[in-house]
Amino acid sequence: MRFKAHLRMTVLAGAALALAGCQLLGDGTSVGTVAPGTLRPSLAADIGAREHPRVVATYGGVYKDPGAERAVASVVGRLVAASQDPSQSYKITILNSPAINAFALPGGYLYVTRGLLALANDTSEMAAVLAHEMAHVTANHAIKRQERAEARELADQILTDVVQDTEVARKAIVSSQLSFARFSQVQELEADAIGVKTLAKAGFDPYAAARFLRSMAKFAQYQTAGKEGSSAPDFLSSHPSTPERLQIAVRSARQIGAPGIGERDRTRYLSQIDGMLYGDDPLEGFVRGRSFLHKALGIGFTVPSGYILENSPEAVLASNGSGTAIRFDGADVSTYSSLADYMTSGWINGLLPQSVRETTIGGLPAVTGAAITQGWSFRIAVVRIGKTGYRFIFASRSPTDQFDQDFRRTIESFRQLTPTERARLRSLRIKVVTTQAGDTPRKLAVGMSGVEPSRRLEFFSILNDLSPNEAIPAGTSVKLVVD
């Protein structure tokens, strides 16, 4: 998280960058405004070029690492030659983000995060991701999605204006939304199928796509602490459920041949990402278990058990399985004579003036307050160090005593780090080692850093796509995360 001054903020207002193509662990929508039927190759390139700087800025900048760059570059030519349109050129960027993500913009702009490269275990898995994104470009999915979105928006507006029966209008709009969502899901499945064919034609293992989808699903469950959500598919999601994508990927691979065909190249791939930055960029602070620690700013705090922390360039976010969300960021408060004045200056919607209280947290001046707006209840705290106000915002639709307790425990944990703590904070890196006779996942997982001890074995197994209970053959390359 990098701190910036914010003149105004709607409390916990969500904002997501619109992306064409797909996000492997999230939803993606189109970017740019293109009138139906007007697409030209030069226009597609213009859209990509216009949006490229925003994408790079949102995802922490471009990640520079010679090994990672070689790993990606080594497969591009083969995939392009095997793709539906070998004449299409591509600009591939590695983003400095720990998120596991990949997506495409019109004009051949492809993006993979270093987090995705860290999860992949061989060249074929990384190539499967690129082949999928190239399929979005060659199939013109971004523009098709934009045209469909514009048509849906127009139809929904006409229904709202013309149909007097609001229930009939509502059902019609929901129907059109379902149709559009399915249209996007069909695009994803189409890109999966095309990607597998491209992968095999380029000489890579066609089963790599299914293998990586399974790794992503396991990692997503690990990140949410294993909390199970609804098993029902989200029909308004633009992406199909992982089981459905897995079935398509496996079926497409079986049409090509039995398992064991094609190149994987685990050893060389892992040697190329050896030493790569893992997790948070030092400029944005570190998440260590349930604690957030920022070396440069010299601050830290800890969230209660059950919360999962996520760092981003704009803020630190956290949530639990009970519907509570947390945002932590910073703002310039130098122009305010008191924190109470800052709290009531209008940056919070629905603030309850009588709730504003000045106090101290960890010996530092602070202010707390509450707000209610749009069905959400909020607890807010601002702690001042110099010109910066560090802001905690808790949100829940159904606040309980536990909600207030979690708020108090979190803000009371805020502290300034000691010189020794700051000196000990180091970036996490991927370290690739070759297993010896007798090595097991449990034995190797002990050497992992940045992970709670109770979860090291699970993390090691997912990161290396290995069974936690089976011995590892000697001579196998495996990844550790170390500081």
Side-chain angles (χ1 to χ4, degrees):
M1 178 188 66
R2 297 184 177 93
F3 288 105
K4 299 177 182 178
H6 298 274
L7 297 179
R8 177 175 178 80
M9 182 184 73
T10 300
V11 175
L12 221 71
L17 177 67
L19 297 171
C22 77
Q23 295 181 339
L24 297 180
L25 291 181
D27 294 335
T29 53
S30 57
V31 283
T33 302
V34 181
T38 63
L39 178 67
R40 301 183 308 275
S42 59
L43 179 57
D46 289 345
I47 294 171
R50 184 186 69 219
E51 298 297 334
H52 175 74
R54 185 173 64 158
V55 170
V56 170
T58 300
Y59 279 82
V62 176
Y63 181 64
K64 298 290 188 180
D65 181 272
E69 291 166 4
R70 284 195 300 271
V72 172
S74 67
V75 305
V76 172
R78 290 168 61 177
L79 291 175
V80 172
S83 70
Q84 290 183 316
D85 183 5
S87 67
Q88 171 69 54
S89 61
Y90 295 92
K91 177 181 176 61
I92 301 176
T93 302
I94 302 174
L95 297 170
N96 186 25
S97 170
I100 299 171
N101 210 345
F103 45 87
L105 293 179
Y109 285 76
L110 305 186
Y111 303 87
V112 293
T113 60
R114 58 175 169 81
L116 185 146
L117 297 180
L119 184 62
N121 276 291
D122 58 46
T123 299
S124 68
E125 291 183 1
M126 183 267 294
V129 173
L130 292 180
H132 175 98
E133 298 308 328
M134 287 179 178
H136 277 306
V137 174
T138 57
N140 213 20
H141 283 164
I143 303 304
K144 290 178 182 178
R145 190 175 298 186
Q146 178 69 36
E147 293 175 355
R148 184 70 172 253
E150 291 173 351
R152 189 196 77 185
E153 183 179 355
L154 177 60
D156 289 350
Q157 185 60 53
I158 291 172
L159 280 169
T160 303
D161 292 343
V162 175
V163 178
Q164 297 299 315
D165 187 331
T166 55
E167 181 61 18
V168 171
R170 186 192 68 80
K171 289 181 178 179
I173 290 172
V174 168
S175 176
S176 73
Q177 289 174 338
L178 286 170
S179 175
F180 176 65
R182 194 59 199 165
F183 179 81
S184 297
Q185 290 176 3
V186 168
Q187 286 185 335
E188 291 305 321
L189 295 177
E190 182 183 359
D192 282 341
I194 294 172
V196 169
K197 292 178 181 177
T198 301
L199 196 64
K201 188 177 178 181
F204 295 106
D205 175 15
Y207 290 86
R211 204 162 56 245
F212 194 63
L213 282 170
R214 278 192 292 267
S215 292
M216 287 194 300
K218 291 177 181 178
F219 191 79
Q221 187 176 14
Y222 169 84
Q223 284 188 308
T224 56
K227 292 184 174 65
E228 296 291 344
S230 170
S231 60
D234 178 6
F235 290 107
L236 289 179
S237 169
S238 67
H239 282 58
S241 65
T242 298
E244 185 178 7
R245 294 188 69 185
L246 271 170
Q247 291 174 5
I248 294 291
V250 171
R251 189 182 311 138
S252 298
R254 284 175 178 167
Q255 291 174 354
I256 296 165
I261 61 173
E263 178 184 326
R264 287 195 182 187
D265 203 9
R266 179 184 179 108
T267 300
R268 185 166 69 95
Y269 176 77
L270 294 186
S271 72
Q272 290 172 322
I273 66 168
D274 186 24
M276 188 174 70
L277 183 66
Y278 186 86
D280 299 319
D281 187 291
L283 293 176
E284 296 175 0
F286 301 98
V287 170
R288 295 289 188 268
R290 291 186 288 111
S291 295
F292 173 74
L293 307 166
H294 203 297
K295 183 172 184 175
L297 298 174
I299 59 170
F301 66 88
T302 301
V303 295
S305 178
Y307 285 82
I308 304 296
L309 279 169
E310 178 187 352
N311 196 8
S312 76
E314 294 80 24
V316 179
L317 308 175
S319 61
N320 65 3
S322 303
T324 298
I326 305 172
R327 178 186 175 99
F328 173 78
D329 64 9
D332 184 357
V333 296
S334 60
T335 59
Y336 296 91
S337 59
S338 72
L339 286 177
D341 288 343
Y342 173 69
M343 184 75 90
T344 58
S345 63
W347 63 279
I348 303 171
N349 289 338
L351 178 68
L352 304 175
Q354 67 274 18
S355 70
V356 178
R357 298 282 188 278
E358 290 195 291
T359 183
T360 59
I361 293 175
L364 298 166
V367 64
T368 61
I372 299 176
T373 183
Q374 297 180 352
W376 287 89
S377 292
F378 300 92
R379 302 293 183 269
I380 306 108
V382 183
V383 185
R384 185 170 191 163
I385 299 178
K387 297 180 179 181
T388 303
Y390 296 101
R391 310 187 298 193
F392 290 92
I393 304 165
F394 276 59
S396 175
R397 286 194 179 275
S398 304
T400 62
D401 289 342
Q402 188 64 50
F403 173 66
D404 286 308
Q405 291 174 20
D406 289 350
F407 171 69
R408 287 194 297 271
R409 287 177 61 190
T410 302
I411 64 174
E412 288 170 1
S413 74
F414 181 85
R415 69 190 191 283
Q416 291 181 288
L417 303 179
T418 66
T420 299
E421 286 178 307
R422 295 174 73 170
R424 289 178 176 173
L425 273 178
R426 290 180 293 181
S427 303
L428 296 178
R429 299 272 174 182
I430 293 288
K431 179 182 179 181
V432 177
V433 299
T434 302
T435 58
Q436 306 297 316
D439 279 344
T440 65
R442 188 174 300 277
K443 178 180 178 181
L444 292 170
V446 173
M448 301 280 269
S449 303
V451 185
E452 294 181 40
S454 63
R455 306 193 73 195
R456 285 175 180 168
L457 176 59
E458 180 186 8
F459 180 56
F460 174 87
S461 301
I462 294 170
L463 188 65
N464 289 284
D465 192 23
L466 296 170
S467 170
N469 301 313
E470 294 182 6
I472 308 173
T476 302
S477 294
V478 297
K479 294 172 284 186
L480 301 178
V481 173
V482 300
D483 56 15

